[in-house]
Amino acid sequence: MAAWCEDMNAFHWIALKEDFHRAQDKAFAPQDASFDAMKLFTVALADFERDGHHLVGSPSPPAVRCGILACYRAEALKCSLSNPVICSEVRRRRTELLGEARRFRAILKEAGAPIPPFLDFFTAWLEANVEEGMESESDSLPEALAFWQRIFPSIVLRGMREEDLLDAFAASLSITAEEGGEGRKSFLPSREEQRQLSPPRCTACGTADSSYLRCTACHLAVYCSADCQRRDWRRKPGGHKGQCARLKSLVLDVTALKEL
């Protein structure tokens, strides 16, 4: 899974979303890619309970780390489903996969991590085609299916074939785009997302905090709290009071650094 995450991260930095998704839907579709597709499918739902322990060196909090890895797992699942052998495997193991998908969602919710849209979609589709004797009212439907039918009532999941899953999910993205605008064309995080994913470390104590403060004069010194900022300003020797003007003079365009 680690190698897959690294590859996806690299692609996300250089590819536009439209180009990435087009390539994603074709990468594992050929029959001769079935072996790799099966490996990817297996990895996508394996050992997700341990995701909070991965990326331990990252300054991001555990919930954010879980969310990042969950997105990569969802991408792996989506990629593998373009292969006919994987579609047959899913058809054979629907009940077992429903249990795994529900457990994965529960772990993410408990960790406070966001659930990737494709995982929600895949779980809802499994619930629609595995559960017996369900009522038509959304109140009595399983959680993921109830949510999906409330948001996308025009996409009927019950009776949908495995081979049609990717097209149906693409249709849901089109509906979302029409209702909410085009959105960003790349995978690069917004400023607010960058604050959450990779907050800089406090100049004074080394803590990484997404609600960090910056020195309003030089915009280079970062602090996790006003307390740390005051301590570092007065610190002797080497406090920020004696360095602030020098740091500011080294910055060619201060405004470009404000609130990265």
Side-chain angles (χ1 to χ4, degrees):
M1 195 64 206
W4 169 257
C5 291
E6 289 176 12
D7 289 345
M8 285 297 97
N9 190 49
F11 279 121
H12 281 182
W13 278 99
I14 63 174
L16 295 177
K17 285 185 177 180
E18 185 179 341
D19 295 336
F20 176 83
H21 290 308
R22 190 182 300 117
Q24 183 184 40
D25 290 346
K26 295 178 180 177
F28 294 89
Q31 192 72 34
D32 59 6
S34 297
F35 178 76
D36 290 332
M38 183 60 74
K39 285 174 64 177
L40 188 59
F41 177 73
T42 303
V43 163
L45 294 174
D47 297 327
F48 49 76
E49 302 91 340
R50 301 179 63 247
D51 281 356
H53 303 290
H54 294 319
L55 305 178
V56 173
S58 166
S60 306
V64 175
R65 296 202 300 267
C66 280
I68 293 170
L69 290 170
C71 285
Y72 287 139
R73 288 182 180 277
E75 294 280 13
L77 181 61
K78 185 171 181 284
C79 277
S80 65
L81 278 168
S82 63
N83 187 277
V85 172
I86 303 304
C87 289
S88 299
E89 181 76 0
V90 171
R91 191 175 299 113
R92 185 177 66 83
R93 296 173 52 198
R94 281 182 180 181
T95 302
E96 175 192 346
L97 291 171
L98 174 58
E100 289 294 291
R102 281 177 167 170
R103 197 153 57 86
F104 191 7
R105 290 179 81 256
I107 287 172
L108 291 173
K109 289 178 72 175
E110 186 178 350
I115 299 172
F118 190 76
L119 177 60
D120 250 344
F121 167 74
F122 187 62
T123 308
W125 173 79
L126 287 167
E127 288 177 342
N129 291 283
V130 171
E131 299 293 299
E132 298 294 334
M134 292 188 301
E135 302 296 330
S136 59
E137 292 81 5
S138 62
D139 286 347
S140 44
L141 292 175
E143 181 184 8
L145 180 56
F147 169 78
W148 196 263
Q149 290 195 357
R150 186 171 66 253
I151 304 299
F152 302 106
S154 62
I155 299 178
V156 180
L157 297 180
R158 190 173 300 186
M160 182 181 291
R161 302 181 314 149
E162 285 79 1
E163 291 79 2
D164 298 326
L165 286 176
L166 297 186
D167 287 340
F169 184 68
S172 75
L173 295 181
S174 298
I175 293 171
T176 303
E178 287 172 8
E179 293 177 351
E182 280 189 25
R184 294 201 304 272
K185 292 184 177 181
S186 79
F187 291 95
L188 299 181
S190 65
R191 289 181 179 180
E192 184 53 38
E193 288 169 339
Q194 190 62 42
R195 286 179 73 105
Q196 298 296 324
L197 292 170
S198 259
R201 295 191 179 276
C202 175
T203 304
C205 71
T207 300
D209 190 330
S210 61
S211 58
Y212 62 85
L213 310 169
R214 284 189 184 276
C215 170
T216 55
C218 70
H219 298 281
L220 290 177
V222 175
Y223 301 99
C224 65
S225 67
D227 246 2
C228 270
Q229 187 171 11
R230 281 192 293 269
R231 276 204 316 275
D232 190 50
W233 183 259
R234 297 191 296 261
R235 180 167 54 86
K236 293 182 180 180
H240 189 59
K241 183 177 181 179
Q243 300 181 36
C244 186
R246 183 179 63 84
L247 289 172
K248 184 176 179 179
S249 71
L250 295 175
V251 179
L252 296 176
D253 187 357
V254 174
T255 58
L257 293 173
K258 288 184 179 179
E259 291 302 305
L260 290 176

